[in-house]
Amino acid sequence: MIAPFNFELILDFHADWIKFIKLQLEQLPTLQKEDYIDIPEKKLAYYYFNWLNRAICPKPRKVHISKELNCPASLRGGMDLIIGKIEKGEELIPHLSRKIKDINYSDQLLNDWGVHHLHLGTLIEKDGFVQRNPRSCLKTLH
């Protein structure tokens, strides 16, 4: 029996994958199209997954504090703020390095040890990140 319709079905999984990755990149909060428009297609997925690894997905977490931690009183407010955000599952991007805006950046502390570092500032600056103090970062296991 001959089908009543004659279809030519063309599948292009690679093009669909690239389109999907570009749609995902458009939704990332710290990136602009010009940040990734010139990246070769064969590297887009690498950069996308690298960025996802560097970001911290907002979800409630239990915080464990080492008995050995000695947080200076001047940084305690920032630490308490971050602990509250982590426990509530709030967005932590403002406390990450501003390098999260660079899709090409490779965070060696995270890649080698699985440790994110968070800035303990309490004031949000115009660029959406907390005010930095070189002595105000908290290292957390991923």
Side-chain angles (χ1 to χ4, degrees):
M1 177 175 182
I2 298 177
F5 302 104
N6 190 5
F7 292 101
E8 181 180 348
L9 184 59
I10 300 173
L11 302 174
D12 187 346
F13 294 116
H14 181 263
D16 292 343
W17 174 244
I18 296 302
K19 184 178 179 181
F20 172 78
I21 292 295
K22 286 181 178 180
L23 287 171
Q24 297 304 305
L25 288 168
E26 287 175 11
Q27 297 175 38
L28 296 179
T30 63
L31 298 180
Q32 303 297 319
K33 196 167 192 167
E34 58 268 11
D35 295 330
Y36 56 84
I37 195 72
D38 294 329
I39 295 174
E41 287 184 354
K42 66 182 180 181
K43 293 187 176 188
L44 273 177
Y46 168 79
Y47 287 113
Y48 170 65
F49 288 115
N50 179 52
W51 189 96
L52 285 182
N53 186 50
R54 290 169 35 220
I56 301 172
C57 178
K59 67 179 184 180
R61 293 175 168 87
K62 183 162 178 54
V63 175
H64 303 275
I65 300 175
S66 169
K67 295 176 192 173
E68 305 300 319
L69 178 66
N70 182 11
C71 181
S74 62
L75 302 177
R76 188 65 198 194
M79 190 172 107
D80 290 342
L81 176 65
I82 287 177
I83 289 171
K85 286 183 174 187
I86 291 170
E87 290 175 337
K88 294 175 190 168
E90 294 178 6
E91 185 62 68
L92 296 173
I93 286 179
H95 297 277
L96 292 175
S97 166
R98 284 168 170 80
K99 291 182 180 176
I100 192 74
K101 298 185 284 185
D102 179 359
I103 194 168
N104 190 32
Y105 180 71
S106 181
D107 185 336
Q108 295 305 308
L109 180 64
L110 178 59
N111 294 342
D112 292 346
W113 293 93
V115 175
H116 285 278
H117 82 271
L118 301 168
H119 294 267
L120 299 179
T122 55
L123 301 173
I124 303 290
E125 294 185 337
K126 291 179 184 178
D127 65 354
F129 289 84
V130 296
Q131 187 176 44
R132 289 186 293 185
N133 173 337
R135 298 172 39 112
S136 69
C137 59
L138 173 67
K139 296 188 177 11
T140 62
L141 291 178
H142 183 29

